């Protein structure tokens, strides 16, 4: 299935193409689709992460609805815990994120985390790259695994970390080192009133301590949002748009995505060939860095071919 065909044939064709990527990611058709999609990025990619039960799915549903009201097309990747029996996604998109299945402008795909500990599934990057070429916004909801959940920073343009009032999440936010990951922090269930405001103040304080002396160009914003009452949703959408515009300036987005591509190549090679494989490339004088404008999937194929050769 080509990228042009996906744009014409819609959601059913996209579902089939993503299934093909999961089933046989190394096939010639899969690689051609990924190469084409990498060359034509369109969407702003937003990653939503945070502890289990914090309300990520409700927040994602509210974001999808807000974007659709403004005329934006939206693709969602919902990474689920895995069934011990089948290995498949345990919860599924219909339960996780409420959306209109008949709406051709929105699409939700569930993916099983399997044994990955970073909150993403093995094929999240591939699915994101394809959906990024088709939609105005791509939303990635991670599985919610806790302190190891930082991989989303390697696939999203903007990372939103969710905190629940009265849960101690603000302390975990600092302990886990996640403080360096998000561009926006959302205190969910803002309709809880004083508890939500305390959580917002706690997180703001944690951020001020963690970033003391490190005044970056983009100061992390802390917002209070209620998915139930829609309080703060418009403010969150505006903050996401502000970060998108910030990334568009001075080539920041291109630089960030290039670094992500390099990270994907290294991680994929390490997963497949181990540290010995990475060391072997070094001994052969091969650089893992991507040349400007180079595609990570093509580079991965080239380096993988070298490592598959007999010693």
């Amino acid at each position: 299935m080509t990228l042009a065909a996906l744009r014409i044939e819609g959601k059913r064709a996209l579902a089939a193409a993503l299934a093909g990527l999961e089933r046989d990611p190394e096939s010639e058709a899969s690689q051609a689709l990924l190469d084409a999609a990498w060359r034509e990025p369109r969407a702003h990619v937003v990653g939503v992460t945070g502890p289990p039960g914090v309300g990520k799915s409700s927040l994602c549903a509210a974001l999808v609805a807000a974007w659709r009201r403004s005329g934006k097309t939206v693709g969602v990747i919902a990474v689920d815990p895995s069934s011990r029996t089948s290995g498949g996604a345990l919860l599924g998109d219909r339960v996780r994120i409420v959306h209109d299945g008949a709406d051709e402008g929105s699409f939700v795909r569930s993916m099983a985390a399997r044994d990955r500990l970073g909150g993403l599934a093995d094929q999240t990057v591939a699915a994101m790259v394809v959906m990024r070429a088709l939609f105005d916004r791509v939303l990635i909801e991670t599985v919610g695994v806790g302190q190891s959940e930082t991989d989303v920073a390697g696939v999203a343009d903007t990372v939103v970390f969710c905190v629940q009032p009265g849960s101690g999440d603000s302390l975990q936010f600092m302990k886990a080192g996640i403080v360096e990951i998000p561009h926006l922090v959302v205190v969910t269930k803002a309709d809880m009133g004083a508890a939500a405001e305390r959580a917002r103040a706690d997180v703001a304080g944690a951020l001020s301590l963690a970033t003391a002396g490190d005044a970056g160009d983009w100061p992390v914003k802390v917002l209070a949002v209620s998915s139930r009452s829609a309080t703060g949703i418009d403010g969150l959408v505006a903050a996401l748009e502000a970060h998108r515009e910030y990334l568009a300036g001075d080539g920041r987005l291109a630089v960030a995505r290039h670094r992500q591509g390099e990270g994907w190549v290294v991680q994929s090679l390490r997963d497949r060939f181990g540290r010995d494989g990475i060391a072997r490339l070094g001994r052969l004088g091969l650089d893992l860095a991507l040349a400007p404008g180079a595609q990570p999937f093509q580079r991965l194929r080239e380096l993988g071919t070298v490592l598959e050769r007999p010693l």
Side-chain angles (χ1 to χ4, degrees):
M1 184 69 67
T2 65
L3 198 58
L6 290 179
R7 288 172 175 151
I8 295 170
E9 298 182 27
K11 291 166 65 171
R12 186 181 296 273
L14 175 56
L18 294 178
L21 281 175
E22 290 193 64
R23 185 173 55 251
D24 190 6
E26 303 300 324
S27 71
E28 185 174 335
S30 292
Q31 292 296 311
L33 177 60
L34 291 171
D35 286 344
W38 178 265
R39 288 193 295 268
E40 300 181 37
R42 168 180 165 187
H44 177 209
V45 182
V46 176
V48 177
T49 188
V54 74
K56 296 189 297 294
S57 297
S58 297
L59 182 68
C60 287
L63 277 174
V64 171
W67 280 326
R68 291 298 293 132
R69 284 194 299 270
S70 67
K72 301 288 191 299
T73 58
V74 187
V76 181
I77 301 172
V79 184
D80 287 322
S82 300
S83 165
R84 291 181 179 273
T85 304
S86 67
L90 187 61
L91 300 180
D93 55 26
R94 286 175 298 225
V95 177
R96 297 273 303 282
I97 298 176
V98 178
H99 72 294
D100 182 0
D103 177 16
E104 282 296 323
S106 64
F107 175 86
V108 180
R109 178 73 174 182
S110 283
M111 306 187 80
R114 302 189 191 278
D115 58 353
R116 288 290 295 271
L117 296 178
L120 302 181
D122 286 339
Q123 291 302 315
T124 301
V125 169
M128 180 278 290
V129 168
V130 172
M131 292 168 70
R132 187 174 68 183
L134 300 173
F135 296 96
D136 298 319
R137 300 290 183 269
V138 171
L139 190 60
I140 301 173
E141 182 195 351
T142 70
V143 73
V145 296
Q147 295 191 11
S148 65
E149 190 168 341
T150 56
D151 282 0
V152 69
V155 297
D157 303 323
T158 302
V159 176
V160 177
F161 183 79
C162 297
V163 174
Q164 183 172 216
S167 63
D169 287 347
S170 56
L171 178 59
Q172 291 301 318
F173 178 69
M174 289 196 70
K175 283 175 59 180
I178 298 175
V179 68
E180 300 173 357
I181 301 302
H183 304 101
L184 299 170
V185 178
V186 168
V187 176
T188 60
K189 307 175 186 178
D191 47 345
M192 292 178 66
E197 177 55 30
R198 280 196 301 273
R200 192 202 63 77
D202 287 346
V203 172
L207 280 169
S208 66
L209 290 172
T211 59
D214 181 23
D217 292 337
W218 175 262
V220 179
K221 294 177 172 60
V222 184
L223 308 172
V225 172
S226 169
S227 302
R228 177 183 299 177
S229 66
T231 301
I233 293 297
D234 289 344
L236 174 57
V237 171
L240 290 169
E241 182 64 17
H243 192 248
R244 187 189 70 81
E245 292 176 353
Y246 164 79
L247 290 172
D250 295 330
R252 295 184 186 95
L253 182 59
V255 170
R257 287 180 172 175
H258 185 82
R259 289 174 178 167
Q260 286 178 344
E262 288 185 330
W264 300 338
V265 170
V266 173
Q267 185 61 50
S268 297
L269 288 169
R270 185 177 291 119
D271 289 345
R272 186 172 174 184
F273 299 101
R275 292 185 178 182
D276 289 345
I278 300 294
R280 183 181 167 197
L281 289 173
R283 291 194 298 271
L284 291 172
L286 292 173
D287 193 346
L288 293 176
L290 281 176
Q295 297 181 47
F297 302 105
Q298 180 178 350
R299 185 59 175 158
L300 183 58
R301 289 196 298 272
E302 294 169 352
L303 295 175
T305 298
V306 171
L307 290 175
E308 286 170 350
R309 294 171 186 162
L311 291 171

